[in-house]
Amino acid sequence: MKQTLLIIWKFFSSHLIWAVVAMIVLGIGLGTFVPVWFVRIFVTFNGIFSSLLSFVVPLLILALVTAAIAETSGNAGKMLVWTIVLAYVSTIFAGFFTYVVGSTTFPYLISDGTYTDYLSKADYSPYFTFTFPPLMDTMSALLLSFMIGLAILKFEMPVLKQAVFELKNVIMMVIGKVILPLLPIYIFGMFLKMTSAGEIKMLTSVYAKVVVVMIVLFVVVLMLQYLIAGWVSKRNPWKLFQNMFPALVTALASSSSAATLPITLRCAGKMGAKDNVVNFVIPMCAN
């Protein structure tokens, strides 16, 4: 039995997408009948895990972006400009496209029923809370990473540069050994609570058509981005999409940039992009 569980754990650890999907299905399945006290155990875990993510993510941004800038050989400014331009063009297009679709379709899709009728009145508060106050917020970490990275480039500070890379190794170890293995449990807890509290039933009953439109929009915008990226890089956009699929599912399931960031980094690294580009662009665009 122990050997079987170890094999299952290793499989899900190396195939994170299946772990995420399995936890979503399991959370929805169990959430329909487990008692509230059981759900609150995972609500408590999710609160602690979310606090841990809030602590780690600014340090992850600081370490990765600073290290990436230190490796750009003076091209950090150009990379920053292009990243901001692409991010804002993409965001403005997606925003206006969603606004037009939503304003023309949602008034006809949303029912007049009150969604509160579907929600449970039970207490889903955590048994206790344990917080890890972040040393800084994400935007402060981003700004500090630029200051340190550009200083390393300009003044050639080998000791500071080495310290940055050591910090990067520490943070990546925490991501690989703690955050990623526990992330499927976090997603399980989310869907367990949503199902038990009636939120899933509410979404599938009152807002089912709206959710379908949102998912279609999500896929359409992403496919447009991957088609453009594939055309520019002369690579198969479907292969790029497949490589990033675990991150996309995690983002859609968790609605959390912080929770998705470690998976996005892992997936992007498998696409053959340069490490300094991945470590620069993804943490910055996640904010």
Side-chain angles (χ1 to χ4, degrees):
M1 182 65 178
K2 183 178 179 180
Q3 188 67 24
T4 303
L5 291 174
L6 185 61
I7 292 173
I8 294 173
W9 175 259
K10 287 183 176 178
F11 173 80
F12 282 131
S13 296
S14 57
H15 299 80
L16 200 57
I17 179 60
W18 295 114
V20 171
V21 172
M23 291 301 101
I24 292 174
V25 174
L26 188 62
I28 294 175
L30 291 179
T32 57
F33 63 86
V34 293
V36 173
W37 65 263
F38 180 80
V39 178
R40 290 179 65 193
I41 293 174
F42 289 91
V43 172
T44 303
F45 167 82
N46 278 16
I48 297 172
F49 184 79
S50 180
S51 180
L52 178 62
L53 271 178
S54 298
F55 177 83
V56 170
V57 166
L59 297 177
L60 176 66
I61 293 170
L62 176 63
L64 293 187
V65 175
T66 305
I69 293 174
E71 291 181 311
T72 56
S73 302
N75 293 324
K78 182 186 292 185
M79 193 183 300
L80 173 63
V81 170
W82 276 108
T83 301
I84 291 175
V85 168
L86 290 173
Y88 272 91
V89 168
S90 172
T91 301
I92 290 169
F93 167 76
F96 275 103
F97 181 48
T98 303
Y99 171 76
V100 170
V101 174
S103 61
T104 55
T105 60
F106 284 0
Y108 304 100
L109 298 179
I110 299 176
S111 67
D112 295 329
T114 57
Y115 71 88
T116 53
D117 296 339
Y118 294 88
L119 300 180
S120 170
K121 302 299 189 294
D123 178 18
Y124 289 95
S125 61
Y127 286 113
F128 60 90
T129 58
F130 196 89
T131 58
F132 306 94
L135 300 178
M136 65 190 81
D137 61 31
T138 54
M139 293 308 295
S140 296
L142 200 57
L143 178 60
L144 184 58
S145 66
F146 275 101
M147 293 170 62
I148 296 175
L150 293 174
I152 291 173
L153 283 178
K154 182 173 179 60
F155 301 111
E156 298 181 1
M157 301 174 171
V159 176
L160 182 57
K161 183 176 181 179
Q162 182 63 29
V164 167
F165 281 92
E166 294 295 342
L167 175 62
K168 174 185 171 182
N169 292 337
V170 171
I171 298 301
M172 294 310 294
M173 180 188 69
V174 172
I175 294 294
K177 300 295 184 181
V178 179
I179 302 298
L180 287 177
L182 294 179
L183 188 59
I185 302 176
Y186 173 75
I187 292 174
F188 167 77
M190 286 183 56
F191 279 86
L192 182 73
K193 189 258 182 181
M194 288 174 64
T195 305
S196 180
E199 294 172 19
I200 294 291
K201 186 177 180 181
M202 180 266 291
L203 287 173
T204 55
S205 300
V206 180
Y207 294 120
K209 295 177 182 178
V210 174
V211 172
V212 170
V213 172
M214 289 167 60
I215 293 174
V216 170
L217 282 171
F218 182 76
V219 173
V220 168
V221 172
L222 281 175
M223 291 310 299
L224 285 173
Q225 291 176 339
Y226 279 93
L227 286 171
I228 294 171
W231 174 66
V232 172
S233 63
K234 296 180 172 54
R235 298 177 65 184
N236 186 335
W238 178 243
K239 290 291 184 183
L240 300 177
F241 185 82
Q242 284 181 311
N243 284 331
M244 294 302 297
F245 193 67
L248 301 177
V249 172
T250 305
L252 194 59
S254 66
S255 300
S256 170
S257 298
T260 310
L261 182 55
I263 298 182
T264 309
L265 288 167
R266 173 186 279 193
C267 294
K270 294 179 179 179
M271 292 199 300
K274 295 179 180 179
D275 287 342
N276 64 318
V277 175
V278 170
N279 294 338
F280 180 92
V281 171
I282 289 177
M284 194 174 78
C285 288
N287 289 280

